Amino acid sequence: MLWNTQLIHKYNISGPRYTSYPTAPQFDANISKLSLIENMLLPSNKPLSLYFHVPYCAKLCYYCACNKVITSDYQKGDEYLELLIEEVRLKSLMVNEDREVQQLHFGGGTPTFLSIQAFTKLIDYIKQHFNLLDDDIGEYSIEVDPREINCEKLAALRNLGFNRLSFGIQDFNKRVQTTINRIQSYQLIDDLMTASRELSYQSINFDLIYGLPYQTVETFTETLDQVITLDPDRISVFNYAHIPRRFASQKLIPEEQLPDGDTKLAILKLCIDKLTDAGYQYIGMDHFAKPTDSLALAQNQGELKRNFQGYTTHANCDLLAFGTSAISQIGHTYVQNHTATKDYRKSIESGQLAIMKGYVSNRDDQIRHNVIMSLICNFELNTREVESEFDIVFKNYFKNELTELLKLEKDGIIELTTGPHLIIRVTDSGRLLIRCICMTFDKYLNNVISYSKVI
């Protein structure tokens, strides 16, 4: 990957992250709930991916833009557990019980807010209603707040079948940690990593954030050195988007101490240089993985996919999601749960699915989804595959988009190989700008929605 400062400044605009297409802002609250349910009930033999959203956090991280509820009352976790169990029962009635659950993921919030007793009860119930794999070959992962877990809980989660972890690190610098209200020592992470390796967790991810207050190239160099020493299998480096008008907790962050745009770009370049020098493969956008990790292997084989959990090797699955704000994707149908806990609770307690809004993709959506996901995962698109699957002539169907692609080619972001079938290849200079390339095929873009910068 080549760093081209001129191109980055020109194309560093706001745009979607494309965990789906159409993206979540297109979901419709007025759509018929019955039609969504009918589409979810369509017969399928696809394997399943299950996602559980736990919104509770014991402490408020000022930078956070996730759907969350801050409370020190851990009893709320037990109450929420009962809602999840009922939703599992309701949704299990919609699918064939023989379909394998190849992927299981707990996100939040703070999933480890739940007690191990609650996890045990929930996993046992899931096993009764879904076909969980018991040979450790499924990708069963959980996001971890290091302040909310210990070695005993790590061992208990491993015994329940979890084999992947994602630690929220953000930054090791004490001044940055204090300012964002997320204090956790290097030694704590080191101890948890040692325990996780001894428990044979198959893959461990670190989440980092650049653009936080008081961050500099020098301080983040120290953080990256510590991260590399800890040796996680995957690393995600997210761009902090400061939008206090949307996320009230961000008002607690001193704006005058945020790094300027040039410093943020310098930190990102630092991340790319140091992590690739350390042997990590740049997967795309903000993700890195060891060459032996399944993400890297899938990308090298042209099989990498993307869904609401980010890059994945299991996007061939139907995704059933549980909990507040969680989004299911069944075939070409998207269904999002209520984002407010009270509304979610009201629906589940009345024996109804907690549907807030949804979307059913039309044929054009499906074509564009195919194009966007191929580009964002593999940095290449052979239009022959799209033409064959959808019976279209790519150059005719995307006549207007091709005009924009020629501009991107002129700037050296993509290469177009003409012939019987057009081939679009993202150049080394264009990889960081993949979201801009995908935006060429997004017919729903407008200036009303606030997206993060693409870099």
Side-chain angles (χ1 to χ4, degrees):
M1 182 173 54
L2 297 178
W3 182 275
N4 188 314
T5 302
Q6 183 178 356
L7 286 180
I8 288 170
H9 280 294
K10 180 176 180 178
Y11 285 98
N12 190 19
I13 58 178
S14 299
R17 298 182 61 82
Y18 293 113
T19 52
S20 69
Y21 182 84
T23 55
Q26 302 305 319
F27 297 175
D28 184 4
N30 296 316
I31 192 171
S32 164
K33 307 301 188 291
L34 181 58
S35 68
L36 292 175
I37 293 172
E38 288 175 344
N39 279 308
M40 294 175 73
L41 287 169
L42 292 175
S44 172
N45 292 319
K46 283 186 177 182
L48 292 173
S49 173
L50 306 184
Y51 171 72
F52 289 83
H53 187 86
V54 180
Y56 296 104
C57 298
K59 300 181 180 69
L60 175 64
C61 300
Y62 297 161
Y63 60 83
C64 185
C66 297
N67 182 281
K68 60 191 177 295
V69 177
I70 308 301
T71 179
S72 58
D73 182 3
Y74 287 88
Q75 178 64 31
K76 290 188 179 294
D78 294 333
E79 296 171 359
Y80 187 73
L81 167 72
E82 299 304 321
L83 300 177
L84 289 177
I85 284 176
E86 174 62 9
E87 190 178 9
V88 167
R89 185 190 71 81
L90 291 172
K91 286 185 174 173
S92 69
L93 301 174
M94 307 176 73
V95 298
N96 187 320
E97 62 183 12
D98 294 331
R99 296 168 68 180
E100 287 186 349
V101 177
Q102 293 185 355
Q103 189 177 45
L104 173 70
H105 184 74
F106 277 73
T110 305
T112 45
F113 183 92
L114 297 180
S115 67
I116 200 59
Q117 292 79 13
F119 269 113
T120 301
K121 184 176 180 180
L122 179 55
I123 295 297
D124 285 346
Y125 196 81
I126 295 172
K127 286 180 177 179
Q128 294 174 31
H129 291 79
F130 290 96
N131 184 18
L132 293 188
L133 304 175
D134 57 7
D135 49 12
D136 214 29
I137 64 171
E139 188 175 293
Y140 295 173
S141 59
I142 184 169
E143 297 173 11
V144 174
D145 181 340
R147 303 166 300 173
E148 288 287 324
I149 202 166
N150 53 34
C151 296
E152 180 182 2
K153 199 166 190 177
L154 279 174
L157 290 171
R158 188 71 180 94
N159 288 334
L160 288 174
F162 290 96
N163 52 27
R164 294 170 179 267
L165 299 170
S166 181
F167 287 107
I169 305 298
Q170 322 320 345
D171 194 315
F172 278 121
N173 182 272
K174 291 294 186 291
R175 189 179 193 186
V176 174
Q177 289 186 354
T178 301
T179 307
I180 63 176
N181 198 38
R182 191 183 178 100
I183 301 173
Q184 52 199 26
S185 69
Y186 174 86
Q187 189 59 54
L188 171 63
I189 308 301
D190 190 19
D191 291 343
L192 292 174
M193 283 293 289
T194 299
S196 300
R197 296 302 189 193
E198 290 175 350
L199 291 165
S200 299
Y201 277 95
Q202 296 175 9
S203 181
I204 300 174
N205 175 74
F206 278 8
D207 283 345
L208 304 177
I209 298 178
Y210 69 97
L212 294 173
Y214 296 108
Q215 283 181 338
T216 65
V217 171
E218 291 72 25
T219 64
F220 213 71
T221 298
E222 296 174 359
T223 287
L224 288 173
D225 287 338
Q226 291 173 299
V227 166
I228 291 168
T229 299
L230 291 169
D231 198 32
D233 302 280
R234 301 177 183 178
I235 300 171
S236 302
V237 187
F238 297 109
N239 173 18
Y240 170 63
H242 188 65
I243 315 175
R245 66 182 181 278
R246 286 182 57 192
F247 308 107
S249 63
Q250 294 185 357
K251 295 176 181 178
L252 300 171
I253 287 180
E255 285 194 36
E256 67 277 8
Q257 301 303 335
L258 293 172
D260 60 26
D262 288 340
T263 301
K264 287 183 69 174
L265 287 177
I267 293 174
L268 176 59
K269 185 176 188 302
L270 170 75
C271 292
I272 294 169
D273 292 343
K274 285 190 72 70
L275 293 179
T276 53
D277 286 347
Y280 288 90
Q281 178 173 319
Y282 176 66
I283 300 298
M285 292 176 60
D286 33 38
H287 285 64
F288 301 79
K290 290 183 177 180
T292 54
D293 187 86
S294 59
L295 279 186
L297 295 174
Q299 186 175 59
N300 295 340
Q301 295 164 6
E303 298 174 354
L304 187 67
K305 305 296 181 182
R306 190 162 172 80
N307 64 12
F308 291 104
Q309 278 74 64
Y311 288 107
T312 178
T313 58
H314 291 283
N316 61 312
C317 299
D318 278 332
L319 171 63
L320 278 179
F322 306 82
T324 56
S325 75
I327 302 175
S328 299
Q329 181 181 355
I330 310 298
H332 303 300
T333 300
Y334 299 97
V335 182
Q336 183 170 16
N337 282 354
H338 287 296
T339 56
T341 306
K342 62 180 179 60
D343 295 329
Y344 170 77
R345 178 187 301 276
K346 182 178 179 180
S347 293
I348 298 299
E349 287 182 342
S350 62
Q352 299 177 359
L353 295 178
I355 298 174
M356 182 179 74
K357 56 185 177 179
Y359 190 91
V360 180
S361 295
N362 58 39
R363 184 172 180 272
D364 179 66
D365 295 329
Q366 295 166 35
I367 294 171
R368 293 173 185 274
H369 176 276
N370 185 300
V371 170
I372 288 171
M373 293 304 162
S374 294
L375 288 169
I376 205 167
C377 290
N378 302 309
F379 297 115
E380 181 174 316
L381 172 70
N382 188 331
T383 61
R384 176 185 59 192
E385 299 169 3
V386 182
E387 291 178 328
S388 175
E389 181 174 351
F390 294 99
D391 192 25
I392 63 170
V393 177
F394 191 93
K395 294 178 181 179
N396 295 337
Y397 194 90
F398 290 110
K399 181 179 180 180
N400 294 333
E401 286 80 359
L402 282 174
T403 301
E404 295 302 315
L405 291 178
L406 289 171
K407 296 177 183 178
L408 296 179
E409 183 185 37
K410 184 177 180 180
D411 277 343
I413 292 176
I414 61 173
E415 295 174 348
L416 301 177
T417 302
T418 57
H421 304 280
L422 178 69
I423 297 176
I424 304 171
R425 289 191 180 92
V426 181
T427 66
D428 292 344
S429 298
R431 289 194 166 205
L432 274 176
L433 304 168
I434 187 61
R435 289 162 69 182
C436 290
I437 301 169
C438 293
M439 287 163 64
T440 302
F441 296 95
D442 188 342
K443 73 173 184 180
Y444 298 110
L445 282 178
N446 59 63
N447 296 322
V448 177
I449 302 167
S450 296
Y451 293 110
S452 63
K453 291 289 187 70
V454 300
I455 299 177

